[in-house]
Amino acid sequence: MPEADRDRSRRRSTAPAAARPDRARRPAPSKARTRAGAGTGGAFGMSGTRRAALLAMVLCALALSIAVPLRTYLAQRDELRQVTAQQAQLAAEVSKLEQRQAELNDPAQVEAEARKRLHYVRPGETPYIVQLPGDAERSPEEERPSSAPAANTSWYQQLWQSVATK
């Protein structure tokens, strides 16, 4: 009989687990079930809304970090354009003034300028003022320089005004 007992024990051990009522097998826990308790899933354990908010914050930070240098660059580019235009204008004015200076370095030009604008004459010459038909409205005093200096202006300002009104 001991042999019969051994057969019975072998039958028990070789029987499927579902046939043994005393030892019910429990299913192994799945990964989905363990994640479900920890969060809703997704990358880094964050929900879709949180990921979108984080992405929006990162994009805003990038935009703000780029905006300030870009604004500075554009402002400097505009300023450089204005300064370049002003420099070209000043260079043209300098060349014009250098040409005028070269003209005034000639004594004959200075004498002609004094005769025309200031009505100067050499000793022994008789000055004549010719009036044309269109000059009837103007009086000779308007063409002559004023004998009294202008009030509150220095001599060099008066000189510069007389040269500038050529």
Side-chain angles (χ1 to χ4, degrees), residues 109-121:
Q109 178 70 25
V110 173
E111 182 181 346
E113 193 90 17
R115 286 175 173 266
K116 178 181 173 192
R117 292 181 49 211
L118 302 176
H119 303 287
Y120 281 12
V121 293

Side-chain angles (χ1 to χ4, degrees), residues 74-162:
L74 293 175
Q76 287 178 350
R77 191 174 68 177
D78 272 351
E79 184 178 354
L80 180 64
R81 188 178 300 127
Q82 290 173 354
V83 168
T84 305
Q86 184 180 11
Q87 184 180 11
Q89 179 185 6
L90 289 174
E93 186 177 341
V94 164
S95 67
K96 182 175 141 184
L97 289 173
E98 285 175 346
Q99 181 183 4
R100 178 74 177 143
Q101 181 185 15
E103 288 175 1
L104 292 177
N105 282 338
D106 182 21
Q109 178 70 25
V110 173
E111 182 181 346
E113 193 90 17
R115 286 175 173 266
K116 178 181 173 192
R117 292 181 49 211
L118 302 176
H119 303 287
Y120 281 12
V121 293
R122 290 187 177 207
E125 292 181 350
T126 306
Y128 292 100
I129 297 177
V130 178
Q131 290 186 349
L132 298 174
D135 292 340
E137 294 89 34
R138 292 190 305 192
S139 65
E141 283 77 28
E142 288 178 5
E143 292 186 13
R144 288 189 180 159
S146 62
S147 59
N152 297 330
T153 57
S154 61
W155 66 270
Y156 53 86
Q157 288 176 335
Q158 293 174 11
L159 178 65
W160 181 253
Q161 288 173 356
S162 71

Side-chain angles (χ1 to χ4, degrees), residues 4-84:
D5 287 333
R6 269 191 241 156
D7 285 337
R8 264 191 242 152
S9 66
R10 279 187 197 156
R11 283 184 199 154
R12 277 188 198 161
S13 64
T14 57
R20 287 189 247 157
D22 56 342
R23 283 192 176 179
R25 266 190 149 190
R26 291 185 186 166
S30 70
K31 290 186 180 182
R33 186 179 290 172
T34 57
R35 257 194 216 159
T40 58
F44 304 111
M46 296 173 58
S47 68
T49 306
R50 286 188 180 184
R51 278 185 286 174
L54 182 64
L55 179 64
M57 287 175 37
V58 167
L59 289 177
C60 286
L62 285 173
L64 289 175
S65 66
I66 290 173
V68 174
L70 183 64
R71 185 181 65 193
T72 303
Y73 168 73
L74 293 175
Q76 287 178 350
R77 191 174 68 177
D78 272 351
E79 184 178 354
L80 180 64
R81 188 178 300 127
Q82 290 173 354
V83 168
T84 305

